[in-house]
Amino acid sequence: MDSLPDFPWDSLAPYKERASSHAGGLVDLSVGTPVDPTPDVVRAALIAAADAHGYPQTWGTPALREAVAAWFARRRGVPGVNPDGVLPTIGSKELVAWLPTLLGAGPGDVVAIPAVAYPTYDVGARLAGASPQPMRSLTSLGPMTSATTPKLLWVNSPSNPTGQVLGHEHLAKVVRWARQHSVIVASDECYAELDWREGAGGSSSGLPIPGAVPSILDPRVCGGSHDGLLAVYSLSKQSSMAGYRAAFVAGDPALVGRLLEIRKHAGMMVPWPVQQAMLAALTDDAHVAEQRVRYGIRRGHLLSALDHAGYRIDYSDAGLYLWVTRADLEDAGAGSGCWTILDEMADLGILVAPGSFYGAAGGGHVRIALTATDERIGAAVHRLAHRGQGD
Ligand SMILES: Cc1ncc(COP(=O)(O)O)c(C=O)c1O
């Protein structure tokens, strides 16, 4: 196995210490952990399922798998998800970390990952003993030979950290290419309901129009066949359930069957009360719309404060982060600009994440999370507006 990377968050300790010494206290916008209460509808379902004396089904209850299929049809514009091709996971991080292993990747295999990405795609390839291959585009992978053709290709839209959304034409090109080369595509889509583009939130539920953020399983993307495709989704963010560990994978029933077989042997099962809570979350759109409004307000305040303070926001069309740089830092070379911004923010008592945590190509940016209380976001906005005035 390629050695695992150092856990990078430890390197933020000095910045955190400095930011924490601010008179108004620390505003921690570095990690994306939800801060709002888990919705009542979800908690009630968990409590009602507290008597869980028997083992849960690794595959998930039929009701949960059917609810996932119905959610894809209702919320993602994806009809025809086969409940046999749905599997709950213990949060999505574990699936991301173990998917290459579960699919049988090993030494000599390549796992293609976005050049600027959530770090666990890289970790998952290494855990399998395979080689992570960061890619900016399909052509950047070079000519395909048996040694260079990936076994698995990850896409992540909306992206963590950049907030970029891939359109259905782009994704369709990826799927066509993958099928031509017999590559499995896994698509991590957990920020799909947090679309901030003009007109998003325009459906009567207050949520994005289904399909506005296309799934890999969207018929426009895959031609209606889910062969070779897996969509990965998490309820951590849209339903403030990060502590429940509640996520799922859906798509090609043959691929899901392979995952299921190993997961059954390995005891990788979602607790039954959590499965019941997931079922409640997936059948209630109102709490997702409410949560979306909270994040949208925080985002609006932060975005305009950063803009007025001279920063530039790139992409950030969807998701829970702003991808921030400054023109002068970019001119100075993309590699290390993030640390200059980290420094400036620490002086204001604000902790952000350096873009270099997400790949060398991210070094000119910082990632600023929207996951703080209104009070803390307000403090950050006030400090950005009064920079240099001793506040
Ligand atoms: C892109 C992406 N995938 C997966 C995850 C993991 O989410 P969870 O394990 O809470 O489902 C995160 C969490 O931040 C993420 O940003």
Side-chain angles (χ1 to χ4, degrees), residues 32 90-94 96 118 121 156 158-160 188 190-191 233-237 242 245-247 321 367:
I90 312 157
S92 59
K93 183 169 181 171
E94 62 93 348
V96 172
Y118 178 59
Y121 308 126
N156 172 218
S159 156
N160 172 10
D188 187 355
C190 63
Y191 299 103
Y233 203 81
S234 170
L235 300 183
S236 292
K237 311 295 166 90
R245 313 309 299 131
Y321 311 100
R367 190 196 76 167

Short mmCIF file of all heavy atoms in Angstrom, two decimals, residues 32 90-94 96 118 121 156 158-160 188 190-191 233-237 242 245-247 321 367, ligand 1:
data_model
loop_
_atom_site.label_atom_id
_atom_site.label_comp_id
_atom_site.label_asym_id
_atom_site.label_seq_id
_atom_site.Cartn_x
_atom_site.Cartn_y
_atom_site.Cartn_z
N GLY A 32 -16.40 21.34 7.69
CA GLY A 32 -17.81 21.46 7.28
C GLY A 32 -18.73 20.60 8.12
O GLY A 32 -19.48 19.81 7.58
N ILE A 90 -22.52 3.61 6.12
CA ILE A 90 -22.35 4.18 7.46
C ILE A 90 -21.73 5.58 7.32
O ILE A 90 -20.58 5.82 7.62
CB ILE A 90 -21.48 3.23 8.31
CG1 ILE A 90 -22.00 1.79 8.18
CG2 ILE A 90 -21.47 3.66 9.79
CD1 ILE A 90 -20.96 0.72 8.50
N GLY A 91 -22.53 6.50 6.77
CA GLY A 91 -21.99 7.76 6.25
C GLY A 91 -21.36 7.45 4.91
O GLY A 91 -21.20 6.28 4.54
N SER A 92 -21.00 8.51 4.16
CA SER A 92 -20.41 8.19 2.84
C SER A 92 -18.90 8.16 2.89
O SER A 92 -18.26 7.60 2.00
CB SER A 92 -20.91 9.14 1.75
OG SER A 92 -20.60 10.46 2.08
N LYS A 93 -18.29 8.70 3.96
CA LYS A 93 -16.82 8.70 4.00
C LYS A 93 -16.28 7.27 3.99
O LYS A 93 -15.30 6.98 3.30
CB LYS A 93 -16.33 9.46 5.23
CG LYS A 93 -14.82 9.56 5.29
CD LYS A 93 -14.33 10.52 6.35
CE LYS A 93 -12.81 10.59 6.32
NZ LYS A 93 -12.29 11.65 7.17
N GLU A 94 -16.93 6.38 4.75
CA GLU A 94 -16.41 5.00 4.76
C GLU A 94 -16.55 4.36 3.38
O GLU A 94 -15.67 3.63 2.94
CB GLU A 94 -17.08 4.14 5.85
CG GLU A 94 -18.59 3.93 5.75
CD GLU A 94 -19.02 2.68 5.00
OE1 GLU A 94 -18.19 2.05 4.34
OE2 GLU A 94 -20.23 2.36 5.06
N VAL A 96 -16.48 5.95 0.47
CA VAL A 96 -15.46 6.56 -0.39
C VAL A 96 -14.09 5.91 -0.09
O VAL A 96 -13.33 5.58 -0.99
CB VAL A 96 -15.41 8.09 -0.17
CG1 VAL A 96 -14.24 8.70 -0.90
CG2 VAL A 96 -16.72 8.74 -0.62
N TYR A 118 -11.96 16.38 -2.40
CA TYR A 118 -12.12 15.78 -1.07
C TYR A 118 -11.03 14.69 -0.91
O TYR A 118 -10.91 13.80 -1.77
CB TYR A 118 -13.53 15.17 -1.06
CG TYR A 118 -13.96 14.44 0.18
CD1 TYR A 118 -14.00 15.07 1.41
CD2 TYR A 118 -14.37 13.11 0.09
CE1 TYR A 118 -14.43 14.38 2.53
CE2 TYR A 118 -14.81 12.42 1.21
CZ TYR A 118 -14.83 13.07 2.44
OH TYR A 118 -15.26 12.39 3.54
N TYR A 121 -10.90 10.40 -1.55
CA TYR A 121 -10.78 9.63 -2.82
C TYR A 121 -9.36 9.09 -2.94
O TYR A 121 -9.14 7.94 -3.33
CB TYR A 121 -11.11 10.49 -4.04
CG TYR A 121 -12.44 11.22 -3.96
CD1 TYR A 121 -12.51 12.59 -4.13
CD2 TYR A 121 -13.61 10.52 -3.71
CE1 TYR A 121 -13.71 13.26 -4.06
CE2 TYR A 121 -14.82 11.18 -3.62
CZ TYR A 121 -14.87 12.56 -3.79
OH TYR A 121 -16.06 13.21 -3.70
N ASN A 156 -17.17 14.37 -8.62
CA ASN A 156 -17.80 14.97 -7.45
C ASN A 156 -18.42 16.30 -7.86
O ASN A 156 -17.73 17.27 -8.09
CB ASN A 156 -16.73 15.18 -6.36
CG ASN A 156 -17.23 15.98 -5.16
OD1 ASN A 156 -16.50 16.80 -4.61
ND2 ASN A 156 -18.46 15.76 -4.75
N PRO A 158 -22.03 18.67 -6.92
CA PRO A 158 -21.18 19.84 -6.69
C PRO A 158 -19.91 19.45 -5.92
O PRO A 158 -19.96 18.59 -5.05
CB PRO A 158 -22.06 20.74 -5.82
CG PRO A 158 -23.48 20.31 -6.09
CD PRO A 158 -23.39 18.84 -6.34
N SER A 159 -18.83 20.13 -6.27
CA SER A 159 -17.52 19.75 -5.74
C SER A 159 -17.28 20.29 -4.33
O SER A 159 -17.62 21.43 -4.03
CB SER A 159 -16.44 20.29 -6.67
OG SER A 159 -15.21 20.45 -5.98
N ASN A 160 -16.70 19.47 -3.52
CA ASN A 160 -16.01 19.92 -2.32
C ASN A 160 -14.53 19.83 -2.70
O ASN A 160 -14.07 18.73 -3.01
CB ASN A 160 -16.31 18.97 -1.14
CG ASN A 160 -15.47 19.28 0.07
OD1 ASN A 160 -14.78 20.30 0.13
ND2 ASN A 160 -15.49 18.39 1.06
N ASP A 188 -19.98 11.30 -6.49
CA ASP A 188 -20.29 11.74 -5.12
C ASP A 188 -21.11 13.04 -5.24
O ASP A 188 -20.61 14.04 -5.74
CB ASP A 188 -18.96 11.97 -4.40
CG ASP A 188 -19.12 12.26 -2.93
OD1 ASP A 188 -20.26 12.39 -2.46
OD2 ASP A 188 -18.09 12.37 -2.25
N CYS A 190 -23.28 14.66 -2.77
CA CYS A 190 -23.98 14.96 -1.52
C CYS A 190 -24.41 16.42 -1.33
O CYS A 190 -25.15 16.71 -0.40
CB CYS A 190 -23.15 14.50 -0.32
SG CYS A 190 -21.57 15.31 -0.14
N TYR A 191 -23.97 17.33 -2.22
CA TYR A 191 -24.39 18.73 -2.07
C TYR A 191 -25.45 19.13 -3.10
O TYR A 191 -25.69 20.32 -3.31
CB TYR A 191 -23.17 19.65 -2.17
CG TYR A 191 -22.14 19.38 -1.10
CD1 TYR A 191 -20.97 18.68 -1.40
CD2 TYR A 191 -22.34 19.78 0.21
CE1 TYR A 191 -20.02 18.41 -0.41
CE2 TYR A 191 -21.42 19.52 1.20
CZ TYR A 191 -20.26 18.83 0.88
OH TYR A 191 -19.35 18.57 1.86
N TYR A 233 -24.50 9.24 -2.02
CA TYR A 233 -25.22 10.37 -1.45
C TYR A 233 -25.21 10.30 0.07
O TYR A 233 -25.19 9.20 0.64
CB TYR A 233 -26.67 10.41 -1.96
CG TYR A 233 -27.25 11.80 -1.86
CD1 TYR A 233 -26.97 12.75 -2.84
CD2 TYR A 233 -28.02 12.19 -0.77
CE1 TYR A 233 -27.45 14.05 -2.74
CE2 TYR A 233 -28.51 13.49 -0.66
CZ TYR A 233 -28.22 14.40 -1.66
OH TYR A 233 -28.69 15.70 -1.55
N SER A 234 -25.24 11.46 0.70
CA SER A 234 -25.17 11.52 2.16
C SER A 234 -26.27 12.43 2.71
O SER A 234 -26.60 13.45 2.09
CB SER A 234 -23.81 12.09 2.57
OG SER A 234 -23.81 12.38 3.95
N LEU A 235 -26.81 12.07 3.86
CA LEU A 235 -27.80 12.93 4.52
C LEU A 235 -27.16 13.82 5.58
O LEU A 235 -27.84 14.58 6.26
CB LEU A 235 -28.91 12.06 5.14
CG LEU A 235 -29.67 11.21 4.12
CD1 LEU A 235 -30.80 10.43 4.80
CD2 LEU A 235 -30.23 12.06 2.98
N SER A 236 -25.83 13.72 5.73
CA SER A 236 -25.13 14.50 6.77
C SER A 236 -25.44 15.98 6.67
O SER A 236 -25.71 16.64 7.67
CB SER A 236 -23.62 14.33 6.64
OG SER A 236 -23.23 13.03 6.96
N LYS A 237 -25.38 16.51 5.45
CA LYS A 237 -25.44 17.96 5.29
C LYS A 237 -26.88 18.42 5.10
O LYS A 237 -27.33 19.34 5.77
CB LYS A 237 -24.57 18.40 4.11
CG LYS A 237 -23.16 17.82 4.10
CD LYS A 237 -22.33 18.29 5.27
CE LYS A 237 -21.07 17.48 5.46
NZ LYS A 237 -19.89 17.93 4.79
N ALA A 242 -24.99 14.41 10.41
CA ALA A 242 -23.61 13.90 10.32
C ALA A 242 -23.30 12.92 11.44
O ALA A 242 -22.58 11.94 11.25
CB ALA A 242 -22.62 15.06 10.30
N ARG A 245 -24.42 9.11 10.87
CA ARG A 245 -23.71 8.34 9.83
C ARG A 245 -24.74 7.70 8.91
O ARG A 245 -25.06 6.51 9.01
CB ARG A 245 -22.76 7.27 10.42
CG ARG A 245 -21.87 7.74 11.55
CD ARG A 245 -21.11 9.03 11.20
NE ARG A 245 -20.22 8.88 10.06
CZ ARG A 245 -20.20 9.75 9.03
NH1 ARG A 245 -21.01 10.80 9.00
NH2 ARG A 245 -19.38 9.56 8.05
N ALA A 246 -25.29 8.49 8.04
CA ALA A 246 -26.43 8.07 7.22
C ALA A 246 -26.20 8.47 5.77
O ALA A 246 -26.22 9.66 5.43
CB ALA A 246 -27.70 8.75 7.75
N ALA A 247 -25.96 7.47 4.93
CA ALA A 247 -25.71 7.73 3.51
C ALA A 247 -26.11 6.51 2.72
O ALA A 247 -26.55 5.50 3.29
CB ALA A 247 -24.23 8.08 3.30
N TYR A 321 -19.44 25.52 0.80
CA TYR A 321 -18.14 26.18 0.92
C TYR A 321 -18.02 27.33 -0.08
O TYR A 321 -18.63 27.29 -1.14
CB TYR A 321 -17.00 25.18 0.65
CG TYR A 321 -17.17 23.91 1.44
CD1 TYR A 321 -17.71 22.76 0.84
CD2 TYR A 321 -16.86 23.86 2.79
CE1 TYR A 321 -17.91 21.60 1.58
CE2 TYR A 321 -17.07 22.71 3.53
CZ TYR A 321 -17.59 21.58 2.92
OH TYR A 321 -17.80 20.45 3.65
N ARG A 367 -10.64 27.40 1.43
CA ARG A 367 -12.03 26.94 1.46
C ARG A 367 -12.68 27.46 2.74
O ARG A 367 -12.15 27.25 3.84
CB ARG A 367 -12.08 25.42 1.44
CG ARG A 367 -13.47 24.86 1.22
CD ARG A 367 -13.55 23.40 1.57
NE ARG A 367 -13.58 23.20 3.02
CZ ARG A 367 -13.88 22.05 3.63
NH1 ARG A 367 -14.13 20.97 2.90
NH2 ARG A 367 -13.90 21.95 4.95
C1 LIG B 1 -17.63 15.42 -1.17
C2 LIG B 1 -17.86 14.71 0.11
N1 LIG B 1 -18.07 13.39 0.10
C3 LIG B 1 -18.30 12.70 1.22
C4 LIG B 1 -18.30 13.33 2.44
C5 LIG B 1 -18.53 12.49 3.69
O1 LIG B 1 -19.74 12.75 4.25
P1 LIG B 1 -20.37 11.74 5.33
O2 LIG B 1 -19.34 10.72 5.67
O3 LIG B 1 -20.75 12.57 6.48
O4 LIG B 1 -21.55 11.13 4.65
C6 LIG B 1 -18.07 14.70 2.52
C7 LIG B 1 -18.04 15.37 3.82
O5 LIG B 1 -17.68 16.49 3.98
C8 LIG B 1 -17.84 15.40 1.32
O6 LIG B 1 -17.62 16.71 1.31
#
